[in-house]
Amino acid sequence: MSGAIVSLIVGIVGVGGTLASGAVTQVLAQRAESRRLDQAQQIRAAEQRASEDQRKIDRLRSCYAQLNAHDRQYRDAMLAYAYDLKSGSTNADVTEVSSARRAQRDTRAEAQLLASDAVLAAESPVNERLTTAYRHLMSIEGESDPSTQRAKISRIIGLLDSIIPLQGHVRDLMRFEVRTTEELPDGHNSESAPATLHQTDA
């Protein structure tokens, strides 16, 4: 093989190598850019999920804050009214009780669409006791015997007082679900059997 042919072959190989090197470099660059775009897309998707999760948490926090507040206001309004009746106060006014009851019912209706099953299950005994207390409290005025009336009012007050630990239980769950706290308190358990007043007792 003559030197000219060898030189030609070497030249061809060199040119091919240069061209191949450029093509390989371009492929590698495209792959790197594709990976960068994929990573950027994954980051954006993760940020969107985090943002959506935060919106849900914020909405749930607002719902829980309203439910907690209105359950307490409803209880407090009935308790104040019961003590007024017990003391024979002429200022006893059921208007605040009725207003608190409506607010609690509206808030609870919204919570039934947003709250978790765990919170609804824990809040249900609270609502049952509030409903029972309201029903018996509204029947007090129909009681003609003062001593019987006072006894019924005392039982209603006891029922309303019994709601406090249940509300604490619900509040613990709410705080956990909206990430205010990372774990539930020690000894946290559900109280499933609501206390009730028998019709013959109140």
Side-chain angles (χ1 to χ4, degrees), residues 128-167:
E128 287 176 16
R129 295 187 191 198
L130 289 170
T131 301
T132 298
Y134 177 81
R135 184 173 67 250
H136 292 299
L137 195 57
M138 293 301 101
S139 70
I140 289 296
E141 291 184 358
E143 179 56 59
S144 57
D145 180 55
S147 61
T148 301
Q149 185 183 72
R150 284 193 297 273
K152 288 182 177 181
I153 293 172
S154 293
R155 286 194 289 273
I156 292 169
I157 290 172
L159 178 59
L160 290 170
D161 285 342
S162 76
I163 293 173
I164 295 175
L166 290 181
Q167 288 177 316

Side-chain angles (χ1 to χ4, degrees), residues 162-182:
S162 76
I163 293 173
I164 295 175
L166 290 181
Q167 288 177 316
H169 172 70
V170 177
R171 195 160 49 248
D172 288 342
L173 280 175
M174 289 176 172
R175 285 170 53 83
F176 178 70
E177 288 192 5
V178 299
R179 303 172 189 170
T180 301
T181 182
E182 294 183 357

Side-chain angles (χ1 to χ4, degrees), residues 25-104:
T25 300
Q26 184 177 2
V27 169
L28 292 176
Q30 288 175 342
R31 289 181 178 177
E33 178 65 10
S34 178
R35 284 195 298 270
R36 187 189 69 78
L37 292 175
D38 286 345
Q39 290 173 349
Q41 186 176 7
Q42 290 172 3
I43 291 172
R44 285 195 299 271
E47 290 174 344
Q48 289 174 352
R49 287 194 298 270
S51 178
E52 181 63 26
D53 286 346
Q54 188 59 50
R55 282 195 294 271
K56 289 179 180 178
I57 289 293
D58 290 344
R59 188 179 181 191
L60 196 60
R61 182 181 288 111
S62 176
C63 171
Y64 284 174
Q66 290 289 320
L67 182 59
N68 179 56
H70 287 155
D71 274 352
R72 289 180 60 186
Q73 288 169 7
Y74 187 22
R75 174 194 167 274
D76 291 348
M78 283 195 287
L79 196 59
Y81 181 65
Y83 273 114
D84 282 346
L85 289 178
K86 189 174 183 180
S87 68
S89 171
T90 57
N91 295 323
D93 186 1
V94 75
T95 303
E96 188 173 345
V97 173
S98 298
S99 177
R101 179 172 180 259
R102 285 193 297 272
Q104 190 261 2

